[in-house]
Amino acid sequence: MFTAKPVSRFLVRHPMMMNKMGKQCISEMMKQQQQQHAKFSTNMISSFLSDSADIEAIDKHTRIQAFKDFLNKDNKISITKEEFLRLAQEKIKISREEAETLLQQFGSAADVLLLPENETLKDLVILKPNLITNRLLQHLNADIVEQEVEMRKDRLLQLEKELIPLRRVKEDCDKLAAKSVNRLLWGGFVYLVTQASILAKMTWIDYGWDVVEPITYFVTFSTATLGYIYFNFLKRDYSYEHATEILLHKKRLKFYKQVNFNFEKYQELVKEYNFIVSQIEANIKLVYGTVPLKCEELLHAIKEQALKEYQEGKQSSL
C-alpha cells in the first residue's frame, strides 16, 4: 500500500508521468463540467417550455372568461349555434372543433341552455337560461300563490275582525296613559321650579349662602343617590327618554288592567297576522321578484271588509 509521501517523491522523479496524470485529471474535470452544463441547459429549457405552456393556458382561460362575460352582457336571449361558434373562434382564437367542445362544456356547466332533442330549438343556444327558468317558474307558481292567498284570506279576515275592537280599546288606553305621563312630566318641572325658587329665597332673603350651601349639597347628593338606585334596579343609566318609556309602559298596563284588556291575546293575534302577511309577501316576492301593489290592495280590502262586517254586527246587536 502506497502512502502520500512516496507517491509525491515518485511523481517528482518522473515528471512525464506527472504530466500524463495531470492531463487525465484536467480532461476528467472538463468532461464533468460539460455534463453539468448540458444537464443545466436541459433543465432550463424544460422549465421554460413548462412556463410557456402555463402562460398559454392562463391566457386561454382569460379569453374564455372574457367571452363568457361578453355573452352575459349581450341583450340577446338566444343566438344560433353557428353564430356562437363564429364568435368563439373570433374572440378566443380557437379552431372550430375547440369551439364545438367549448359549447358542450358551457351547456354542461349550465352557462348556456342547449335543447338538441327539440326540433324547433335544437339549432339555438340560449344565453340566459336563468331568465327562462325564472319566467317558467313565475308562470307555474302564479296559480299556486293565488290559491295560497285565497286560503289565507279567510284567516286574515277573521284575525282582522278580532283585532278591530282590541285596537280601539288599546288606542284609548294608550291615549290615557300618554296624558297621565305628560301630567307627571309637567309635575316634575313644577317641582324643580319650586325647589329652585325656595333655595333662591332662602339664599338671598332668609338665611344666606352659608346656611343654604349644605342644603344644596344634600339635595344634589340625594339626586345622585336616586340615579344610582335607578341604575341598580334597571341596569341602565338614567335618562329622561328611558324614564318616560318606563312610566308610559307602566301606565298602559295599569289602564289595560282597569278595562280588562287582554294584552297578551292582542300580541298573539298581531303576531299571527303579521306572520301570515309576511308569508304571503315572501311567496309573491319569490314569484314576481317584488311585492306588487296587488298584495297591498288585498290587505286593504281585507281590512275594509272586516271593518264593515264588524260595524254591521255591532249595529245588529243594538
Side-chain angles (χ1 to χ4, degrees), residues 67-211:
F67 177 64
K68 188 184 296 185
D69 295 337
F70 169 77
L71 294 178
N72 291 331
K73 292 179 181 178
D74 196 348
N75 294 327
K76 296 180 181 179
I77 297 178
S78 64
I79 59 176
T80 62
K81 284 187 178 181
E82 289 297 327
E83 186 176 359
F84 180 92
L85 297 176
R86 180 180 60 79
L87 289 173
Q89 290 176 273
E90 292 178 359
K91 300 289 183 181
I92 311 177
K93 309 299 182 184
I94 56 177
S95 63
R96 183 178 178 84
E97 290 76 12
E98 291 176 328
E100 291 177 352
T101 303
L102 181 65
L103 176 60
Q104 297 300 323
Q105 291 176 353
F106 275 19
S108 300
D111 292 324
V112 298
L113 181 62
L114 302 175
L115 300 171
E117 298 179 357
N118 190 298
E119 292 295 331
T120 306
L121 304 176
K122 65 180 182 179
D123 294 329
L124 290 179
V125 178
I126 299 174
L127 302 178
K128 296 177 175 59
N130 292 333
L131 180 61
I132 301 298
T133 304
N134 291 336
R135 289 182 179 178
L136 289 174
L137 288 175
Q138 288 179 5
H139 180 72
L140 294 174
N141 292 337
D143 295 336
I144 299 175
V145 170
E146 290 181 1
Q147 292 176 4
E148 184 177 357
V149 170
E150 290 297 327
M151 289 173 57
R152 297 180 180 273
K153 183 178 178 181
D154 295 336
R155 180 55 183 165
L156 283 177
L157 182 61
Q158 182 182 355
L159 289 172
E160 187 65 31
K161 289 167 65 176
E162 294 181 17
L163 285 171
I164 287 175
L166 295 177
R167 285 199 192 103
R168 293 186 175 182
V169 174
K170 184 178 182 300
E171 288 175 0
D172 294 338
C173 292
D174 291 346
K175 289 179 181 178
L176 292 174
K179 289 181 180 179
S180 178
V181 171
N182 195 36
R183 286 195 297 268
L184 287 174
L185 293 176
W186 279 108
F189 173 74
V190 171
Y191 165 76
L192 292 175
V193 172
T194 304
Q195 176 182 277
S197 301
I198 293 173
L199 292 175
K201 182 176 180 295
M202 292 173 64
T203 302
W204 286 295
I205 297 175
D206 296 335
Y207 304 107
W209 179 245
D210 293 337
V211 176

